[in-house]
Amino acid sequence: MEHLNGLLSNPEAHQSPLHQPGEQAYRQKKALKYQLSPAKLHSAVSVLTFDGRGVSGHSNHTAIYKAVSYLASIGKIPDDCSLLSLLTIGVLRKYLSFLELPISWLLPSDLCCVIGSKGYIQAKRAMLCHRTQLLWFRYLYIWFSRYMIINTFQVIDQGPKNLKIY
């Protein structure tokens, strides 16, 4: 949590170059560069990323998923590192807030994370650090999105790492 607190006080410290305008291929190339580095340098135990639909269909989100999936398919993720993608859900479920909790518990997923009140306040503070991006619909997201309270993940298949074809 100390690391997160440091990031909250300096939001520019963790801005990704993926937020620059450009083509999808450019985004995927940047995603490859910035997703591979943390997994190798910090001996990550898990990598949590977006799914192929990018939660809101955002091109940066889908580029990150494609980059991580590609790295997994070519064996560039450490063996002891698990990959999980955040499941995209429909708009109705997305804005049910805590009322969506029973639905998430009943539907299949590999990991279900529920945040407590302290975590919600911290996440809200993190979102508010990006004032220039807070348009009216992002305020709705902060108050009503289930992603602020509950997140469900699926494992990204890493495929065979030592496949030999004769």
Side-chain angles (χ1 to χ4, degrees):
M1 282 304 183
E2 287 301 317
H3 179 66
L4 182 57
N5 288 334
L7 291 176
L8 288 176
S9 63
N10 184 9
E12 287 74 33
H14 63 285
Q15 291 293 325
S16 166
L18 292 174
H19 290 88
Q20 298 172 1
E23 299 294 321
Q24 182 68 11
Y26 168 81
R27 292 170 195 262
Q28 286 174 286
K29 186 176 178 181
K30 286 290 187 183
L32 278 170
K33 179 179 177 183
Y34 290 97
Q35 288 296 318
L36 177 59
S37 177
K40 280 199 155 191
L41 294 177
H42 302 294
S43 300
V45 179
S46 308
V47 173
L48 304 177
T49 188
F50 301 99
D51 68 3
R53 292 174 36 203
V55 177
S56 60
H58 196 286
S59 58
N60 288 342
H61 299 179
T62 57
I64 290 170
Y65 172 79
K66 288 176 183 176
V68 170
S69 296
Y70 172 73
L71 292 173
S73 73
I74 62 170
K76 294 291 185 180
I77 304 293
D79 289 337
D80 58 347
C81 181
S82 60
L83 303 177
L84 297 152
S85 63
L86 179 63
L87 292 173
T88 298
I89 59 170
V91 174
L92 178 62
R93 280 183 59 204
K94 181 178 179 177
Y95 289 103
L96 283 176
S97 189
F98 68 90
L99 298 173
E100 207 273 335
L101 188 60
I103 299 168
S104 290
W105 277 342
L106 293 172
L107 293 176
S109 67
D110 294 318
L111 175 66
C112 182
C113 300
V114 180
I115 196 167
S117 60
K118 286 175 80 175
Y120 173 77
I121 291 167
Q122 192 170 22
K124 185 176 158 187
R125 268 195 229 128
M127 292 287 287
L128 294 173
C129 283
H130 301 280
R131 294 265 181 215
T132 59
Q133 295 184 8
L134 285 177
L135 304 172
W136 66 269
F137 58 88
R138 293 221 170 91
Y139 284 102
L140 291 177
Y141 178 91
I142 291 170
W143 289 106
F144 298 109
S145 174
R146 68 79 100 158
Y147 289 113
M148 293 290 290
I149 298 164
I150 183 167
N151 289 283
T152 48
F153 296 87
Q154 293 286 25
V155 170
I156 297 173
D157 184 30
Q158 296 192 45
K161 296 212 178 205
N162 296 319
L163 183 63
K164 293 180 182 177
I165 300 174
Y166 296 100

